[in-house]
Structures are given as C-alpha cells and as structure tokens.
Amino acid sequence: MVHHIVWWTLQDAQGKTAKEAGEYLVKLAMEKMPGKIDALLSLEMTTNFAKTTTEDVQLLLHSTHKDEAALAEYAGHPIHVAFGTELKKYATSRRAIDYII
C-alpha cells in the first residue's frame, strides 16, 4: 500500500482568507473524490494542526492507494486534476512524500 501525503501553504486569494480557502478545499475534495476515483482507497484532509507542527502549513491531504500504479492513476484522474487546478489558485507552496507499507 502507498501512502501519499501532501501539504500546502495557502494565501488569501479569490476573496477568501487562507483559512477559508483551506476549509473550502477540504469540503470540495471530500465531496468530489471519495467513491469516485477507483484508485483512491482512502482520503483524509485537514486544516487543523497540533501546536507541535514544525512546517508552515494550512492544508494537508493523506490518501492511500493499492500500489504506485494506482497512485499514478489517481494523480491523472480528471477529478483529481480539476481539484489541483482549483487548489493552485490558493497555494504558495507544496510539499509531498509517498511511502510504501
């Protein structure tokens, strides 16, 4: 199984504060992706971070996939691509890590 973790720093844009943008993006992703992308086994997103967090982050996504081929399928899926296009309106940085269990 592949775990895909991505985190973003967001900016005020499109009439939303960075916090509002993060909340909007979580709602959008959770409405659009789970159950609609076969290669996506699970999806968690948050804008709430513990005080011990050491990264400048306003939004985090954690998804799981059967294998690396499924992760690639998810990455290229039109629903995921459309979400990424919307997210880019607010993001100033993106960091990611994938690991295999």
Side-chain angles (χ1 to χ4, degrees):
M1 179 176 297
V2 176
H3 289 255
H4 175 62
I5 301 173
V6 187
W7 60 97
W8 296 268
T9 301
L10 304 176
Q11 64 182 341
D12 296 352
Q14 306 289 312
K16 293 177 175 55
T17 65
K19 179 156 182 55
E20 291 168 337
E23 291 166 355
Y24 158 72
L25 291 163
V26 168
K27 185 175 187 288
L28 181 66
M30 297 310 289
E31 288 175 354
K32 299 286 184 183
M33 291 195 273
K36 298 176 181 138
I37 302 175
D38 291 339
L40 179 63
L41 297 178
S42 69
L43 177 67
E44 295 177 338
M45 292 186 72
T46 191
T47 59
N48 298 312
F49 301 94
K51 293 176 183 174
T52 53
T53 301
T54 61
E55 293 289 325
D56 183 18
V57 57
Q58 283 83 40
L59 178 65
L60 182 131
L61 176 149
H62 176 209
S63 61
T64 59
H65 310 271
K66 178 182 172 185
D67 52 28
E68 290 178 88
L71 175 58
E73 181 182 332
Y74 160 77
H77 193 284
I79 293 173
H80 178 263
V81 171
F83 174 74
T85 299
E86 184 67 14
L87 191 148
K88 287 177 184 176
K89 295 176 183 177
Y90 305 97
T92 59
S93 71
R94 175 189 182 275
R95 307 245 344 203
I97 189 166
D98 301 323
Y99 64 94
I100 301 167
I101 294 182

